[in-house]
Amino acid sequence: QSVRGTVDEKIPYALQDMASMQMDGYIVYAGAGFSSGVTHLLEGSEIACKATPANLDDISDFSRHAETRELDHILAMKFKWWDLLVGEKEPVRLVY
């Protein structure tokens, strides 16, 4: 959402609909077009997360970066996609 509009009216219903579904799901949002009240509502929701695409001109680009960290963590925890977080990082070795 990049401009102000009627999406502010729809977000509370979308959150309620998602919460009532019988399956795991999240509302992913981005953009500066939300009112401060709706932004606060989304930030406080357990089923919403902010993830701004790296390239706003190509929203099909799903590359990970600092602005997708919240979504990456939710996907890892909820769906066990831990490779999103650990990737090619070196494992920690415990020394006794």
Side-chain angles (χ1 to χ4, degrees):
Q1 183 71 13
S2 58
V3 296
R4 300 228 183 257
T6 61
V7 73
D8 277 8
E9 299 168 11
K10 298 173 181 129
I11 293 295
Y13 297 109
L15 288 169
Q16 186 177 18
D17 288 347
M18 186 62 66
S20 68
M21 294 182 70
Q22 299 297 312
M23 60 191 307
D24 292 332
Y26 289 86
I27 293 177
V28 180
Y29 66 96
F34 299 102
S35 69
S36 61
V38 168
T39 300
H40 182 72
L41 179 67
L42 288 165
E43 289 173 345
S45 175
E46 293 179 359
I47 59 170
C49 68
K50 185 175 184 179
T52 304
N55 181 357
L56 292 174
D57 294 326
D58 180 13
I59 59 171
S60 65
D61 177 4
F62 296 114
S63 58
R64 293 180 6 251
H65 57 94
E67 294 297 319
T68 63
R69 183 184 344 229
E70 195 174 324
L71 177 60
D72 296 340
H73 281 82
I74 285 176
L75 293 173
M77 291 185 306
K78 196 64 168 179
F79 302 108
K80 313 254 187 286
W81 295 348
W82 296 107
D83 58 312
L84 289 175
L85 297 181
V86 296
E88 298 186 21
K89 293 179 182 172
E90 193 67 29
V92 174
R93 300 190 192 287
L94 298 176
V95 178
Y96 295 99

